[in-house]
Amino acid sequence: IGTARRIVQREGFLSLYKGLTAVYFGIIPKMAIRFLSFEQYREALQKIAGPPSSGAEYSTTVNFTAGLASGLTEAVMIVTPA
């Protein structure tokens, strides 16, 4: 708390948020690709699997596989784009 107080006194309140821009530029595309790809994978997998037997909109297997694939897509496209 003492360090935050000194930073605010020396540089102003907004200085506490200086490094956030870089974080947002990394997180926003990453999250967008993850959410978009999850929806796309889930729809495609549900068409292949057919209606779930439990009466739910999507089966657990479809949700799990779509999450796995979207995480992999995010990792390949954003985290390690070599």
Side-chain angles (χ1 to χ4, degrees):
I1 293 179
T3 302
R5 190 176 298 139
R6 276 194 306 265
I7 291 171
V8 170
Q9 288 172 347
R10 292 180 187 169
E11 301 178 39
F13 180 75
L14 293 177
S15 66
L16 294 174
Y17 298 97
K18 262 188 208 175
L20 233 45
T21 306
V23 172
Y24 284 142
F25 277 113
I27 289 176
I28 290 174
K30 190 170 110 168
M31 298 301 284
I33 286 180
R34 185 187 316 162
F35 284 119
L36 178 67
S37 64
F38 176 78
E39 294 295 329
Q40 296 298 316
Y41 287 133
R42 187 168 66 168
E43 291 296 325
L45 290 168
Q46 192 63 46
K47 286 179 185 175
I48 293 168
S53 59
S54 65
E57 191 174 354
Y58 299 99
S59 70
T60 305
T61 305
V62 166
N63 279 328
F64 176 79
T65 307
L68 183 70
S70 66
L72 183 63
T73 301
E74 170 195 342
V76 169
M77 291 181 72
I78 299 293
V79 178
T80 55

